[in-house]
Amino acid sequence: MRAYLVIREGAKWADVFPLVPGQAVTIGRAPTNQIVIKDERCSRHHAEVFYSDGHWTLRDLDSRNGTAVGDALIRGDHPLSPGQIIRIGGSQLAFVHDYSQAFTDAGGAVRAEGNVSTIDYVPPPASGDSGVLAGQEPTTITHRRGQTKFLRPVEDEEGGGSKIGLAAAKLCRLAFELAKGQDASVLAKTALDGLFDGTAVDGGAVLLVRRGVSGEPTSSDLELVATRTDTDLPYHRLSPFLAATVLREGEAVMARNVMGDSTLSSRDSQGEMHATSVICAPIRRGKRVFGLVHLYSTRPERVPDPDDLEFTLAVAETLALALHNLHRRQELAENLSQVRDENLQLRERLGVESELVGKSRIMEKISEEIARTAPTSATVLIRGESGVGKELVARAVHFASPRRKGPFVCVNCAALSESLLESELFGHERGAFTGAVSRKIGKFEAAHQGTLLLDEIGEMSPTIQAKFLRVLEGHSFERVGGSDPVKVDVRVIAATNRDLEKDVTEGRFRRDLYFRLHVVEIFVPALRKRPEDIPELAYHFLNKYNAETGRRIRGFTPRAMEQMVNYRWPGNVRELKNVVERAVVLCEGEYIDAHDLMLSKLPTLGDTAEAMLVPAEFKPMKLEEMERRHILATLRLFSWNKSKAAEVLGIERSTLDRKIRRYGLNEFAPGRVS
């Protein structure tokens, strides 16, 4: 059970010392005691208080003048009850479980904030430290403060001294400056400059809790954000003991005569300790701790006083409010960005038909594949030439899946450089690279519990392929410039018009990523392979653009429709859509005619492949002559091994023998033909 020793010297309140179960507290004149009483009537080691068998016990350590509880002297162990007064020399210590129980006989309950403290407190030396140097004044925590008076109206302070008014004015100006800060490091530097202006210190820092720390922070969770020294000496880092004490107690502390005591004063980079006084205050708002303010003085003529402790705590709490507001603004900005992306996706979703247009056997087969694939969580690879509608197929898979209420996010891997694509996919932290002025969530995070379409997956660089593969395997990822792991639930659909098998063979595409993507494949054929869908698609786009432009075009003339059906459509459905849109805008009659169609003369991919098969010096010949030459060349390639030649030609061995006899090829055989 937590308890307190409230110390009074004469008519003034002194200090409140917390009692922690498991830690014995010694009282005496020697500076090695936790509570030091400078009174000749007090022995060097006078008494101790400890927790045992469910209650706190006072033990007299064979003191010379004895220890009294109330008006009675005790010998040995004495169990303590709340409200009892321990008398040692001229000092009184009230044992309480609550501040309000202390010294009720002296005129009312104790005020939680107390008055100026003069209790000497020396923590036990840490492991490996020598403690207080010989002949040196004891390390002294001279004041403790839970709440600052500078955050109360000035008229509430008795006397309303000019120093308080000046501090309040500085605090007001500092609050205005902190309200302008757009970055945690700027806020920390502004607060530190204000502290140096309002206190008698010449060194200090602001330490903030790292992002991602959950629960109660420890000293190891703090990182330096801003430092300042007004001397030639480097900044003295905050001691872990002092940081842990302030974080645990939630109180600002000020200590003097700390030089040589490594528990309260840390060493610089050369191993020297120069600080004479130190102030440490928590940066907190409610139960949330953002960090610590650490200030110290290295010059004897600049010694912080209790008002400096008050001002430091006031600045720390003002900084905590500014940091809280900054975090809220950042969260709101991120949420607003995500909402905008979702609204944009919703508008795109409403503007795109999720049903495929076409009644050909090929389109029926694609619809069947979508229906079988959509309910699963399998990765889908959509292949086909540019413009055939791969994204439309991906949308159909998404809207037919259990993820249809989630976002559908599309990324074109060919439109971005390697560095920009990584940032687009995985997001980045503020300052990760030039131009990264704020945190940005990537497409993977934006597609959480939805579907992510990676168009032109074959254009992805090998470096991004490796990171992308880890995410596909279920691993978490980190934003560019960040260290916090991000875990998402996303279904990936990839689309490409490249020959991935060839890219794998030539080393341009990772083999393991290819097999991870190639779970379910949907092939969308070129528009020239399904000409029976052209009329339906043409009227679909005609109705669409009639509604958008307000035109009343009734349809296509037979000549225009015949021209569209016979056209090769190198740009596929995308080209048909653009041709119809242009015709709707420029058509002067009620029907679109052939002269309203602006068709290109570009060859299709198939035409280009076929042209490569034709020799540069082509001479027409009969098919029989071409077959004769081809069979003879095949037989010569396999040294007249008829079985292998027949296998390559795709015919039976007996059929090959008949053709050899028919074309008289035996005369070209080397030696005797079997």
Side-chain angles (χ1 to χ4, degrees):
M1 179 183 296
R2 288 298 295 269
Y4 304 88
L5 288 178
V6 184
I7 305 167
R8 184 172 65 179
E9 295 182 352
K12 293 183 179 181
W13 298 107
D15 194 14
V16 178
F17 192 92
L19 300 175
V20 181
Q23 297 181 9
V25 176
T26 60
I27 307 170
R29 195 175 75 252
T32 54
N33 293 286
Q34 277 76 24
I35 298 179
V36 179
I37 298 178
K38 296 181 179 180
D39 189 329
E40 290 299 325
R41 291 171 293 178
C42 177
S43 300
R44 289 182 56 82
H45 301 285
H46 197 102
E48 66 176 345
V49 178
F50 57 92
Y51 190 78
S52 176
D53 297 331
H55 62 269
W56 288 95
T57 301
L58 172 66
R59 174 180 294 170
D60 182 78
L61 301 177
D62 297 327
S63 61
R64 181 179 58 186
N65 295 311
T67 303
V69 175
D71 295 328
L73 288 174
I74 68 165
R75 293 294 178 184
D77 294 350
H78 177 82
L80 293 172
S81 300
Q84 288 186 327
I85 306 298
I86 303 171
R87 302 179 186 277
I88 298 176
S91 300
Q92 301 177 23
L93 298 87
F95 174 79
V96 296
H97 289 165
D98 187 351
Y99 289 118
S100 61
Q101 300 172 350
F103 298 116
T104 54
D105 60 332
V110 67
R111 294 174 59 87
E113 61 269 20
N115 286 321
V116 177
S117 167
T118 58
I119 182 67
D120 294 325
Y121 169 56
V122 179
S127 176
D129 292 333
S130 58
V132 181
L133 299 179
Q136 179 191 325
E137 287 293 324
T139 297
T140 307
I141 291 181
T142 56
H143 302 82
R144 291 180 180 268
R145 185 66 60 188
Q147 300 292 331
T148 175
K149 62 186 178 184
F150 287 135
L151 292 183
R152 299 197 302 266
V154 175
E155 56 268 23
D156 291 345
E157 180 69 28
E158 295 182 5
S162 60
K163 186 173 182 179
I164 296 177
L166 181 61
K170 290 180 179 179
L171 185 62
C172 182
R173 290 195 298 270
L174 181 60
F176 276 103
E177 293 299 321
L178 290 174
K180 302 175 185 177
Q182 299 297 320
D183 178 74
S185 59
V186 174
L187 291 176
K189 186 179 184 305
T190 302
L192 199 57
D193 291 342
L195 286 166
F196 271 62
D197 184 49
T199 59
V201 298
D202 52 36
V206 173
L207 303 92
L208 298 182
V209 178
R210 294 186 180 88
R211 276 184 172 272
V213 175
S214 58
E216 293 293 330
T218 63
S219 58
S220 60
D221 297 324
L222 300 173
E223 62 179 354
L224 278 174
V225 178
T227 62
R228 175 176 167 179
T229 58
D230 288 350
T231 65
D232 296 334
L233 300 172
Y235 165 70
H236 296 184
R237 67 187 184 277
L238 175 64
S239 74
F241 175 83
L242 185 58
T245 300
V246 175
L247 288 174
R248 183 182 64 251
E249 302 294 339
E251 295 180 332
V253 300
M254 180 170 69
R256 295 174 181 165
N257 301 320
V258 298
M259 184 182 296
D261 187 351
S262 60
T263 59
L264 293 181
S265 177
S266 293
R267 305 173 187 272
D268 60 18
S269 57
Q270 285 75 37
E272 299 293 333
M273 293 187 289
H274 304 283
T276 59
S277 302
V278 63
I279 294 176
C280 188
I283 304 172
R284 68 186 177 199
R285 176 171 172 78
K287 294 183 179 180
R288 181 175 181 182
V289 178
F290 293 91
L292 297 177
V293 171
H294 175 221
L295 303 173
Y296 60 83
S297 174
T298 60
R299 290 177 286 186
E301 67 273 14
R302 289 180 60 86
V303 179
D305 58 22
D307 286 337
D308 290 335
L309 178 64
E310 298 277 2
F311 187 75
T312 302
L313 185 56
V315 172
E317 295 193 2
T318 306
L319 175 59
L321 178 60
L323 289 170
H324 172 76
N325 293 336
L326 176 63
H327 292 169
R328 290 292 299 152
R329 288 199 301 270
Q330 291 176 343
E331 290 175 1
L332 290 173
E334 292 176 6
N335 293 338
L336 180 60
S337 176
Q338 185 173 358
V339 169
R340 286 174 176 170
D341 290 342
E342 290 175 355
N343 288 339
L344 179 60
Q345 294 162 13
L346 181 59
R347 288 194 296 270
E348 292 176 350
R349 188 184 308 171
L350 294 174
V352 176
E353 296 289 341
S354 60
E355 295 182 358
L356 301 177
V357 178
K359 295 182 179 179
S360 64
R361 181 68 190 97
I362 295 176
M363 291 307 298
E364 290 178 358
K365 181 181 178 182
I366 292 176
S367 299
E368 292 172 358
E369 292 175 342
I370 291 173
R372 290 194 300 269
T373 303
T376 70
S377 59
T379 305
V380 182
L381 178 62
I382 304 175
R383 309 181 77 160
E385 294 180 9
S386 179
V388 295
K390 297 188 291 294
E391 182 177 343
L392 196 64
V393 173
R395 288 180 182 273
V397 172
H398 171 72
F399 292 131
S401 72
R403 297 173 177 265
R404 55 184 169 272
K405 293 184 179 180
F408 178 85
V409 181
C410 180
V411 180
N412 190 335
C413 300
L416 300 170
S417 64
E418 178 179 334
S419 57
L420 290 179
L421 179 59
E422 183 177 11
S423 171
E424 191 73 13
L425 287 176
F426 306 110
H428 62 254
E429 297 287 352
R430 182 183 183 277
F433 50 84
T434 303
V437 296
S438 62
R439 175 194 285 182
K440 176 185 176 182
I441 63 172
K443 297 300 184 183
F444 266 105
E445 288 183 79
H448 181 58
Q449 295 185 340
T451 304
L452 175 64
L453 170 62
L454 295 175
D455 199 7
E456 306 297 345
I457 187 71
E459 305 298 333
M460 186 181 287
S461 69
T463 303
I464 307 299
Q465 289 177 30
K467 190 171 183 179
F468 173 57
L469 177 61
R470 280 188 54 81
V471 180
L472 275 183
E473 295 290 350
H475 297 280
S476 59
F477 62 90
E478 298 172 353
R479 300 186 190 96
V480 178
S483 57
D484 298 332
V486 180
K487 186 81 171 179
V488 292
D489 174 21
V490 174
R491 181 182 191 174
V492 173
I493 299 178
T496 184
N497 60 0
R498 295 177 62 95
D499 185 350
L500 290 184
E501 289 80 3
K502 182 179 178 182
D503 290 344
V504 169
T505 303
E506 296 177 355
R508 289 195 297 268
F509 199 81
R510 291 179 64 99
R511 181 181 296 271
D512 47 4
L513 178 57
Y514 168 78
F515 288 114
R516 186 63 182 80
L517 292 174
H518 200 262
V519 178
V520 176
E521 179 179 299
I522 299 178
F523 178 75
V524 185
L527 185 57
R528 62 183 176 274
K529 301 293 185 181
R530 47 189 180 100
E532 58 269 37
D533 290 331
I534 292 176
E536 187 174 355
L537 283 166
Y539 275 98
H540 169 77
F541 293 129
L542 175 63
N543 295 331
K544 172 183 172 65
Y545 293 117
N546 267 341
E548 289 184 5
T549 61
R551 301 294 300 273
R552 295 184 179 180
I553 299 174
R554 296 187 177 183
F556 302 88
T557 64
R559 190 161 157 240
M561 185 58 69
E562 180 183 2
Q563 188 172 354
M564 286 192 295
V565 171
N566 294 329
Y567 181 59
R568 299 285 288 171
W569 297 108
N572 291 297
V573 180
R574 183 185 292 117
E575 183 184 5
L576 174 59
K577 175 184 175 182
N578 295 336
V579 166
V580 174
E581 182 181 10
R582 187 186 304 112
V584 169
V585 173
L586 301 178
C587 178
E588 297 178 355
E590 293 184 345
Y591 291 89
I592 295 176
D593 202 356
H595 66 271
D596 295 318
L597 303 174
M598 299 180 63
L599 304 178
S600 71
K601 296 182 180 180
L602 292 173
T604 65
L605 292 177
D607 294 337
T608 304
E610 292 165 6
M612 293 175 64
L613 297 176
V614 180
E617 298 180 1
F618 175 71
K619 295 180 180 180
M621 66 182 67
K622 293 181 180 181
L623 289 176
E624 289 184 353
E625 178 61 23
M626 181 174 289
E627 184 180 43
R628 175 181 176 276
R629 293 185 180 185
H630 184 65
I631 292 175
L632 180 59
T634 304
L635 287 168
R636 286 175 172 172
L637 178 64
F638 293 103
S639 302
W640 279 79
N641 187 322
K642 295 180 182 179
S643 298
K644 289 185 178 180
E647 182 181 354
V648 171
L649 293 171
I651 58 178
E652 297 292 336
R653 167 69 183 269
S654 59
T655 303
L656 178 59
D657 287 335
R658 287 197 301 272
K659 290 183 178 292
I660 290 174
R661 290 193 297 271
R662 177 183 174 184
Y663 295 131
L665 299 178
N666 284 325
E667 59 179 299
F668 297 102
R672 183 179 178 181
V673 180
S674 57

